[in-house]
Amino acid sequence: MPAAAPPAAPGDPHLEARRAYLNPGGMWMPMQMTLPGHAEAFGKLGVDIDPRKLADPLAAPLRAIVRLNSCSASFVSPDGLVVTNHHCVQTALQVNSTPERNLVEHGFLARSRADELPAGPAERVYVANAFTDVSATVREGLALIADPVARKEELEKRTKQQIAACEKGRSGVRCNVATYFRGDLYVLIEELEIRDVRLVYAPSRSIGNYGGEVDNWRWPRHTGDFAFYRAYVGKDGAPADRAADNVPYKPAHHLTVSTTGVRPHDFVMITGFPGRTTRTKTALEVKHDVDWFYPYYIELAKQRYAVAEAHLQAPGETAIKAGVLKQRTQNGLEKVSGVLAGLKRGDLLQRKALLDERTRAWAGQAGREAHVTAIAKLEQLIADEQKTARADYDRSHALGASSLLSAAFSATYWAHERQKPDAARRPGYQERDLKPAIASTKQMTKQFDATLDRALLQLALVRALALPPAERPWLPLLLGVRPARAGSIDETVIDKTLDAWYRETTLATESVRLALLQNGTRARMATSRDPFMRAVQRVWKLYKTEEERADARAGELLLVAPMYAAAMREALGGLLAPDANSTLRITYGTVKPRAPNEPSFTVASQIPNKDTGKDPFDAPKPLLDAVKAKQFGPYADTTGELPVNFLSDLDTTGGNSGSAVLDGRGALVGLNFDSTIEGVASDVVFDGTMVRKIHVDVRYMLWVMDKVDGADHLLEEMGVRPAL
Ligand code: ARG
Ligand code: ASP
């Protein structure tokens, strides 16, 4: 076995503290970095920078961190070069692929800027400009509105006003009001929305997704999960539609790329956009997830996985798209199975119960009667929701299971909302939302597959048959079966109906969808002959009734749920980060192995042993040759090995992929791309002993670029001198 990593630097006065550090967790909002606990922790860990510097999103290093549609990324050059994960640019690779030129398989490298490829109609780079606490304005007097639907609408009206004022006269700026602590805090976020995004470089699948599904969520790992985009803007520097004479965006800051990386037990941090965690749920909510939701989701995901697998040999592009679906489904299935197993294995549920008790004890003190009442009401709302959870899940899942059905819903929704004044429309259907809706309609063209779409819809409809007819009144409506005959629906009826729908529909044609989306009127919806459009018109009334029921629930929750989250935060002395909500966060901790005597790093010399020559363990020959010859140049560690991936105890979740891993000086030392499955229950109850995140080492990235792919011009652009 090669030595796995160099020893930590001797004589470091903080090494012992870092080695012993047990991360308490926390995806901190930048504005929370001024809390005194962080300065204390940074001091103990021996970090030079002042954590308060991380409270300013307009200063380095946060200013260099950007958001993609569902990943994180960062600027690494003055010319808008963006680094993220290989798995985050899958769609960009897919939309540019042809059977003759399969970029998903072979990767891509633009030799000049003129060669860079459009990343797809829906890809965006968002650069945050401002964060403003608008809670007082948004929440004021809501409790005085007795009707829960009216209350929810008032809140929506206020957030729309904030957004409209923020975006007024500023094309290219996109604003959004994000909700934290279950509605205790509302923040207006202003972002520059860059919509000309181009693919610059992605290594081949056999480097970028080395290990594939087999290694996904696993350690040890040897994946080169990195890729590059470039952000382009108009000549005036403002975001613009894609155009030949657009110019690279000049970011206010870009990260310094480290060429020396980190060592075991070094301090590291990640700033990025974690998607969703559920740590401020009550114990009752978590119990319901464990008893019902996770198992139910797992069963469904297994069935969807089987659908994908059944089409891997299908003709045409179906097989390629089935492969993408299979990988995505496997990723979610394993994740949720891991969360469930983690919650059941250790004492996490017990810890959840204790935190819940502590929260209630805080609320139970004199003068906090309002909290007690609110928490009781919250529990009652949750219990009510759980009663119809399965019927609600089956319905929402089925109505969203097919892209064609979703397109028909979207067109119908737009037609209804379009008749209202812009400010009165439902969020998501205002004029500001039309461009994104068009982009996703176009994106669908590149990703749609009729065979898979039909199979997934069929699965969802057949699953709903297991409910008593009274709990699935939408099913006969959707299928066009008279309510009196609802009990007669069986698999054959579903099969025959779908055969006819997919034969007759015109919604697979982009221009048809675009016309309906952009100019659809209610009259046109009512007279459409398309089977999916007709199905949607039949369930529309029921759909809106269910929507109103959900709105009423949301209107009730928005008064009581914040009281629970706030009580939890106060019970913890203020040191509670809000649950992830795809907004900018900071997590810090250390490079840490799974167990004290295990390595924190993998090294390139291990790749030839692992390699089978077959997908997913089929590293390119030039890579294997260079590894065997140990041609690591300046990228080797002090023992002459090349670090590939490493582990930390950072607090991240889905959405954090592509996030820059930074050292104590804010330099880029790696990219986050995965978690170990044993620690994923931390999304529900953080556990610093189990949680481990997997990062690609910056030295491996630079080495692949230098030695294997010859991306010298990109290295130079990042300020790194090619050496091999
Ligand atoms: N598990 C990681 C995440 O949740 C990586 C997924 C991409 N890689 C893969 N082999 N599926 O997204
Ligand atoms: N792979 C995840 C992502 O894409 C990150 C994680 O779950 O660790 O966001």
Side-chain angles (χ1 to χ4, degrees), residues 87 209 212 216-217 327 331 673-674:
H87 80 260
N209 192 17
N216 191 24
W217 302 111
Q327 172 145 327
N331 194 46
F673 73 94
D674 206 359

Side-chain angles (χ1 to χ4, degrees), residues 71 85-88 90 208-218 221 223 225 326-328 330-332 334-335 653-655 657 673-675:
C71 277
N85 285 150
H86 182 275
H87 80 260
C88 295
Q90 276 299 305
N209 192 17
Y210 192 76
E213 271 176 45
V214 180
D215 270 4
N216 191 24
W217 302 111
R218 300 283 180 282
R221 196 66 164 275
T223 307
D225 202 343
K326 176 165 157 285
Q327 172 145 327
R328 201 172 355 104
Q330 183 258 6
N331 194 46
E334 280 214 38
K335 164 81 187 258
T653 189
S657 271
F673 73 94
D674 206 359
S675 311

Side-chain angles (χ1 to χ4, degrees), residues 30-367:
M31 59 173 83
Q32 288 184 301
M33 292 307 290
T34 55
L35 293 168
H38 303 305
E40 208 180 296
F42 274 40
K44 194 169 83 179
L45 299 172
V47 195
D48 291 332
I49 48 174
D50 183 338
R52 281 172 302 189
K53 207 185 151 210
L54 298 169
D56 183 0
L58 299 188
L62 289 194
R63 191 62 174 144
I65 307 303
V66 298
R67 184 166 74 84
L68 305 179
N69 281 336
S70 49
C71 277
S72 306
S74 41
F75 286 120
V76 283
S77 94
D79 283 339
L81 190 65
V82 169
V83 71
T84 185
N85 285 150
H86 182 275
H87 80 260
C88 295
V89 308
Q90 276 299 305
T91 306
L93 293 169
Q94 193 212 306
V95 300
N96 285 292
S97 288
T98 58
E100 299 74 42
R101 192 170 84 139
N102 185 349
L103 305 189
V104 176
E105 180 60 22
H106 302 296
F108 172 75
L109 174 61
R111 288 284 162 200
S112 73
R113 295 205 180 154
D115 294 337
E116 294 168 0
L117 296 169
E123 190 58 293
R124 298 285 182 272
V125 168
Y126 298 93
V127 188
N129 279 332
F131 295 78
T132 317
D133 181 347
V134 293
S135 314
T137 324
V138 165
R139 295 183 67 189
E140 199 208 326
L142 285 179
L144 301 175
I145 304 171
D147 175 49
V149 174
R151 191 187 301 136
K152 190 217 173 218
E153 283 172 355
E154 178 61 24
L155 174 87
E156 240 165 47
K157 185 175 126 203
R158 294 178 190 175
T159 60
K160 283 187 290 188
Q161 283 166 349
Q162 293 283 343
I163 292 168
C166 176
E167 291 179 348
K168 191 164 188 219
R170 304 164 77 201
S171 84
V173 169
R174 185 115 185 135
C175 304
N176 184 15
V177 174
T179 307
Y180 302 78
F181 294 117
R182 304 189 75 162
D184 189 53
L185 175 66
Y186 291 88
V187 175
L188 177 70
I189 301 176
E190 175 191 323
E191 293 174 314
L192 200 65
E193 182 190 23
I194 299 181
R195 50 188 196 269
D196 185 352
V197 183
R198 303 188 196 172
L199 179 67
V200 174
Y201 166 49
S204 67
R205 191 262 318 138
S206 58
I207 295 175
N209 192 17
Y210 192 76
E213 271 176 45
V214 180
D215 270 4
N216 191 24
W217 302 111
R218 300 283 180 282
W219 178 264
R221 196 66 164 275
H222 299 83
T223 307
D225 202 343
F226 64 86
F228 291 84
Y229 277 158
R230 193 183 304 281
Y232 281 84
V233 289
K235 282 197 291 270
D236 59 354
D241 287 334
R242 181 179 156 70
D245 62 351
N246 279 353
V247 296
Y249 173 68
K250 302 277 183 190
H253 284 286
H254 65 271
L255 297 178
T256 303
V257 177
S258 166
T259 53
T260 48
V262 278
R263 297 157 303 188
H265 308 294
D266 271 0
F267 172 89
V268 276
M269 59 184 171
I270 281 182
T271 67
F273 298 85
R276 204 176 104 88
T277 55
T278 55
R279 294 177 197 160
T280 55
K281 277 194 176 180
T282 66
L284 181 70
E285 286 173 296
V286 172
K287 183 177 175 340
H288 186 253
D289 285 344
V290 168
D291 292 346
W292 178 74
F293 177 67
Y294 297 139
Y296 199 69
Y297 177 92
I298 289 166
E299 179 195 276
L300 170 60
K302 281 184 180 158
Q303 292 175 330
R304 286 172 64 90
Y305 187 85
V307 167
E309 255 193 328
H311 291 90
L312 291 176
Q313 313 301 334
E317 293 206 349
T318 301
I320 301 175
K321 288 168 180 165
V324 174
L325 176 69
K326 176 165 157 285
Q327 172 145 327
R328 201 172 355 104
T329 309
Q330 183 258 6
N331 194 46
L333 173 60
E334 280 214 38
K335 164 81 187 258
V336 175
S337 305
V339 170
L340 181 59
L343 288 173
K344 284 182 151 175
R345 186 174 47 227
D347 64 344
L348 295 192
L349 288 176
Q350 226 169 310
R351 280 160 60 178
K352 178 77 222 182
L354 283 176
L355 179 59
D356 191 80
E357 269 170 41
R358 211 170 141 189
T359 304
R360 285 160 205 272
W362 181 90
Q365 287 166 41

Side-chain angles (χ1 to χ4, degrees), residues 128 149 170 191 219 288 377 447 516 570 607 611 677:
V149 174
R170 304 164 77 201
E191 293 174 314
W219 178 264
H288 186 253
K377 171 90 187 181
Q447 296 185 306
L516 278 172
E570 296 314 314
I607 297 177
D611 213 79
I677 200 67

